[in-house]
Amino acid sequence: MKKQTALFPGSFDPITKGHQSIVERALPMFDKIIVAVGCNTAKHSVFSLDKRIEWIKQTFAKYDKVEVVTFDSLTVDFCQQVGAKYILRGLRNSSDFQYERNIARINQELAEDIETVFLMTKPDDAAISASLVREILSFGRDVSKFIPKEITISAEDFKK
């Protein structure tokens, strides 16, 4: 039975252990997961697009079912373009749920054939966010506890 393709969109600025856990736990549910680095008009990235793509590819290098791409359109439009029937999202807390539920409802209005699938983060990852990782880095501190072990991020990786 074909399980379909899921799109895991985000800015991944940078990728965290929480992101990694969501993808790894979703792998048995889908034939393919496309990790899609999007251009969010409301966010200004700290790390370069090339660096973020590199880190994501390193993180998921051992998984043939994971593809890493970029996109600059509405998520549902990109889903249709790549044939993804599911949008994968991780939830850390109730605030994430409120925010993501509203996006899922709008996406459903825009493309009713695309479903959003929510996975709760593991308790150990619930406090980790990319913005907190960036804040810690901005003060020159080590972030290795919060990012995938496959990558290294330092303050020098910030965009100039």
Side-chain angles (χ1 to χ4, degrees):
M1 182 173 140
K2 188 168 167 84
K3 296 177 189 171
Q4 300 287 341
T5 297
L7 185 80
F8 186 45
S11 57
F12 306 103
D13 190 31
I15 187 167
T16 67
K17 282 185 175 180
H19 295 128
Q20 180 183 24
S21 174
I22 294 296
V23 171
E24 288 177 346
R25 290 173 35 231
L27 279 169
M29 298 177 213
F30 300 101
D31 293 318
K32 178 164 79 169
I33 296 176
I34 301 171
V35 179
V37 182
C39 297
N40 184 333
T41 57
K43 290 185 180 180
H44 296 91
S45 300
V46 171
F47 298 102
S48 73
L49 179 61
D50 289 343
K51 187 52 89 171
R52 290 180 282 148
I53 293 293
E54 176 187 326
W55 288 330
I56 297 166
K57 285 182 176 180
Q58 289 171 341
T59 300
F60 299 113
K62 66 183 175 183
Y63 300 109
D64 293 336
K65 291 171 43 170
V66 177
E67 181 181 340
V68 182
V69 300
T70 63
F71 74 106
D72 62 359
S73 61
L74 289 174
T75 302
V76 292
D77 291 343
F78 191 68
C79 283
Q80 291 169 333
Q81 182 182 328
V82 298
K85 295 292 182 190
Y86 300 92
I87 298 171
L88 178 62
R89 299 302 294 156
L91 301 175
R92 294 171 296 170
N93 52 44
S94 59
S95 296
D96 280 357
F97 173 73
Q98 295 295 328
Y99 176 76
E100 294 291 345
R101 180 184 63 184
N102 291 337
I103 292 173
R105 285 183 175 164
I106 295 299
N107 285 338
Q108 189 75 61
E109 288 294 321
L110 295 171
E112 58 187 40
D113 61 324
I114 297 173
E115 292 290 339
T116 300
V117 175
F118 297 117
L119 287 182
M120 295 299 300
T121 58
K122 289 187 172 186
D124 289 350
D125 299 328
I128 301 170
S129 70
S131 58
L132 287 175
V133 170
R134 291 190 307 269
E135 180 75 7
I136 294 165
L137 272 173
S138 74
F139 288 97
R141 296 291 303 268
D142 177 35
V143 294
S144 59
K145 293 179 183 179
F146 312 113
I147 60 172
K149 68 179 178 358
E150 294 81 1
I151 64 174
T152 302
I153 300 176
S154 67
E156 290 78 42
D157 292 311
F158 278 101
K159 276 199 306 193
K160 305 293 181 229

